[in-house]
Amino acid sequence: MRVALFLTCVNDTLYPDTGRAVLKLLTRLGVEVDFPMAQTCCGQAHYNTGYRHEAEPLARHFSDVFGEYEAIVTPSGSCGAMVRELYPRMGERARAEGRGDTLAATLAPVVPKTYELTEFLVDVLGVTDVGAYYPHTVTYHPTCHGLRGLGLGERPRRLLQAVKGLELVELPGADECCGFGGTFALKNSDVSAAMGADKVRNAQSTGAEVLCAADNSCLMHIGGTMARLQSGMRPVHIAEILASTEEEPAV
């Protein structure tokens, strides 16, 4: 199977190790992975801050770049939700504004074949045990876009439960937002910081070494709060845990 890795802006700029982990993991599972060099932003930042027309050229470009692949895999619930949930709305908006069906037709091919990493593993490849080894105590934070937008449900937990050496402990208030929310953290910084502190205190109460999530934008926010509160914990993307093996363990 030939798939494209949609890395996203945050991962490409700040967390390239997550992209390397996805490549390592999928290759180990027999998937042929391409990284289209022409990929850019999916338009989420523009769309969510009200620049919806400005997001359209980015969405068109996304479809041009990724349209030929059997599947598009991303280690980001928020960007995955942008394509799956909001690209159809962009097409509907263009139609409602009297601009015809061209945008909807352009974006339609990429919508159903864009997958967040954990749903690709479970739903498309049909695996939960990916041969990973990670001898640490971990608690899992389900990010908002993954939980509410994509409906990832138990997929990430099922994958983590199958990791050799990993002890998974439940996070109190797991379904509560961490407070990041993209520009929400900038426009409502006090509220965002308070929500982040609540999330970190809940994580600390589990006694886990690691807080894991499927979206580095949320982990960036949580990780900053962990550092300020001197929590002693560290944030790790689920891809890096699943890519870890006894022969090549993650740090």
Side-chain angles (χ1 to χ4, degrees):
M1 185 178 198
R2 181 169 171 253
V3 308
L5 171 57
F6 168 39
L7 188 54
T8 79
C9 302
V10 167
N11 289 319
D12 183 50
T13 306
L14 300 174
Y15 300 101
D17 283 348
T18 296
R20 296 186 186 101
V22 175
L23 176 60
K24 176 183 174 182
L25 171 62
L26 293 181
T27 301
R28 189 171 78 222
L29 295 174
V31 178
E32 181 184 351
V33 183
D34 284 355
F35 180 80
M37 294 300 292
Q39 64 180 280
T40 60
C41 178
C42 63
Q44 180 190 179
H46 306 68
Y47 191 92
N48 287 346
T49 47
Y51 294 95
R52 298 190 171 180
H53 287 153
E54 289 81 356
E56 291 180 10
L58 293 167
R60 290 180 186 275
H61 181 70
F62 182 95
S63 186
D64 289 343
V65 170
F66 289 101
E68 67 176 286
Y69 292 94
E70 294 177 72
I72 304 153
V73 181
T74 181
S76 168
S78 61
C79 293
M82 174 65 188
V83 177
R84 290 252 295 277
E85 283 199 302
L86 299 183
Y87 276 16
R89 294 187 195 178
M90 292 172 73
E92 292 167 6
R93 180 187 177 95
R95 187 183 300 116
E97 292 175 347
R99 293 189 282 131
D101 294 326
T102 304
L103 182 61
T106 299
L107 303 183
V110 296
V111 172
K113 59 183 180 180
T114 298
Y115 298 92
E116 184 275 334
L117 174 64
T118 64
E119 64 178 348
F120 179 76
L121 293 171
V122 175
D123 295 351
V124 179
L125 297 187
V127 298
T128 51
D129 186 345
V130 298
Y133 171 75
Y134 194 76
H136 301 284
T137 305
V138 175
T139 192
Y140 169 70
H141 166 61
T143 63
C144 293
H145 283 97
L147 180 67
R148 299 173 180 85
L150 296 177
L152 296 182
E154 292 297 309
R155 294 174 184 86
R157 287 188 180 88
R158 290 171 62 192
L159 289 158
L160 291 169
Q161 287 166 348
V163 174
K164 184 178 179 181
L166 186 149
E167 180 186 354
L168 183 63
V169 292
E170 286 301 312
L171 176 65
D175 61 352
E176 296 173 5
C177 177
C178 71
F180 178 62
T183 54
F184 175 85
L186 301 176
K187 296 178 179 179
N188 303 277
S189 58
D190 290 344
V191 176
S192 173
M195 294 171 72
D198 286 345
K199 180 64 65 175
V200 170
R201 291 189 188 101
N202 283 342
Q204 284 181 287
S205 75
T206 68
E209 304 165 67
V210 169
L211 181 139
C212 158
D215 215 315
N216 270 327
S217 54
C218 296
L219 287 173
M220 176 175 63
H221 178 66
I222 294 169
T225 306
M226 285 178 170
R228 286 191 294 275
L229 296 180
Q230 299 180 327
S231 69
M233 297 183 69
R234 54 196 174 94
V236 179
H237 194 284
I238 192 170
E240 295 171 47
I241 292 175
L242 298 178
S244 177
T245 62
E246 290 189 73
E247 295 75 23
E248 297 181 75
V251 177

